[in-house]
Amino acid sequence: MPVSPDMAEDLAGAVAALYEQAELALIEKVTRALAAGLDSPLWTDLKLQSIGHLRTAIEDIIAALQADAAGAIHTVVAEAYNRGTTAAVVELGAVAPAVATIPAGTRAVDRLASALVQETGATHGRILRTGLDVYRQVIADATSAPLLGATTRREAAGRALAKFADRGVTGFIDRSGRAWNLTSYAEMATRSALGRAAVQAHTDQLAAHGVDLVIVSDAPEECPRCKPWEGKVLRREGASGPGTVEVEHATEDEQMVRVRVAGSLPEARAAGLFHPNCRHSVAIYLPGVTQPPAPKKDRSRATYEQSQQQRYLERQIRAWKRRAAGSVDDSARTRANARVREYQGRVRELVAETGLPRKSHREQVSAAR
């Protein structure tokens, strides 16, 4: 069966949920710490004296996250690799029923998991810095605002905390220069790593059985980076760039066929194929037998831009749910929940218009631990 990064998409949710729980716990810890005694004339002094307690609470969140995330990452990377291995064995078995599974690449799994643990672990220090910085900033804003006649202390604190809930823990930049918040960055990094694990397992199996060529599927709602590779034959590894190779027919002994290849799989991936959320897959190419894939019938009437609009609306739903969690009073919480319902309605309209499947799990905010 063909292999695609999205065959491990469901696994990334387990890791992303841990980071979402940590981010929500941070928002709630900071909000509750600041809301306590907010109307007291001694509030500023009490809050500054309590910063050590908040630091300890945030460090506890980080410690729990580090312990849980490392184990979860090793588990899901191993499962993604196994799925890629199974996909290759199914394909190879259709050609040569006697094909046996090559033992799982333990070293490859460990290497991919360790790299992901390191990448996501680098975000943990920013959780502490962000929490303490926001805490101090809210104290400063809430203390100075009434003196300037601008607003009440409660209103100033509420606005500052609402901004924090919207942003979450930010400041993460990927290789392309795009900025992410903590949860989105962890999910993106995990999805990318799991996709690599599945594809690598597939190609490891093909290499072990001497298969050198693969073919890219035709997927719906494709993005501009992937479109040039649709339906193209690629070398599993080796030289980049297009060319023609002469190989033996897959089923006819001593019969040679010429195959036009568009480049190598590593080259295509470097150019954007198999980016996060990519729906393309690769499968074994059997010279003289495999036919170019027929254009896949869209599962919906949607364009790539509309699928990205859905992702935007999902992020807004989660953001307003975080805003509700970071509200210092009931009226602000009510307004935030109203915005949640507004964006949920927009998702329903988009789904009805385009036929895109609604992914309710992407609209959920995991409960804080």
Side-chain angles (χ1 to χ4, degrees), residues 216-220 222 230-231 279-281 293-297:
V216 181
S217 67
D218 188 340
E222 72 278 3
E230 287 193 330
R279 297 187 178 91
H280 289 87
S281 63
K296 184 176 290 186
K297 186 176 182 180

Side-chain angles (χ1 to χ4, degrees), residues 136-147:
R136 294 189 183 97
Q137 187 62 51
V138 172
I139 293 173
D141 290 352
T143 302
S144 62
L147 298 177

Side-chain angles (χ1 to χ4, degrees), residues 340-357:
V340 169
R341 293 191 293 273
E342 175 190 335
Y343 279 105
Q344 288 173 331
R346 291 175 62 179
V347 170
R348 287 193 294 271
E349 292 174 359
L350 182 65
V351 166
E353 176 188 349
T354 63
L356 283 166

Side-chain angles (χ1 to χ4, degrees), residues 85-305:
T85 298
T86 300
V89 170
V90 171
E91 282 193 307
L92 291 164
V95 181
V99 163
T101 305
I102 301 298
T106 304
R107 290 184 179 178
V109 170
D110 288 344
R111 177 174 54 79
L112 289 166
S114 296
L116 181 56
V117 168
Q118 183 176 4
E119 183 175 3
T120 54
T123 68
H124 297 173
R126 194 165 185 84
I127 296 174
L128 178 61
R129 292 196 300 274
T130 297
L132 297 180
D133 287 350
V134 168
Y135 183 83
R136 294 189 183 97
Q137 187 62 51
V138 172
I139 293 173
D141 290 352
T143 302
S144 62
L147 298 177
L148 300 174
T151 185
T152 67
R153 178 194 295 163
R154 180 173 291 274
E155 290 169 343
R159 280 202 301 270
L161 287 168
K163 291 179 181 178
F164 174 40
D166 285 347
R167 297 191 309 267
V169 182
T170 59
F172 307 106
I173 309 297
D174 64 17
R175 295 181 182 88
S176 65
R178 181 179 175 184
W180 303 78
N181 78 341
L182 174 67
T183 301
S184 297
Y185 181 84
E187 182 180 19
M188 178 276 295
T190 302
R191 286 164 66 93
S192 297
L194 298 184
R196 288 195 297 272
V199 173
Q200 181 171 333
H202 185 266
T203 54
D204 286 349
Q205 289 284 325
L206 300 189
H209 291 90
V211 176
D212 295 321
L213 300 178
V214 296
I215 187 168
V216 181
S217 67
D218 188 340
E221 303 154 25
E222 72 278 3
C223 77
R225 290 181 293 169
C226 297
K227 192 174 181 62
W229 304 100
E230 287 193 330
K232 298 296 193 299
V233 178
L234 301 174
R235 304 177 185 89
R236 178 177 46 76
E237 58 184 17
S240 300
T244 301
V245 296
E246 188 170 343
V247 293
E248 188 175 12
H249 194 285
T251 58
E252 302 292 335
D253 292 340
E254 300 182 1
Q255 180 178 338
M256 305 301 289
V257 295
R258 294 172 66 83
V259 178
R260 179 69 177 175
V261 297
S264 68
L265 183 57
E267 175 189 10
R269 294 181 67 175
L273 183 66
F274 294 155
H275 59 80
N277 304 320
C278 181
R279 297 187 178 91
H280 289 87
S281 63
V282 291
I284 291 176
Y285 181 81
L286 302 176
V289 175
T290 302
Q291 297 297 316
K296 184 176 290 186
K297 186 176 182 180
D298 283 5
R299 62 179 181 179
S300 66
R301 303 176 297 280
T303 63
Y304 173 73
E305 288 73 19

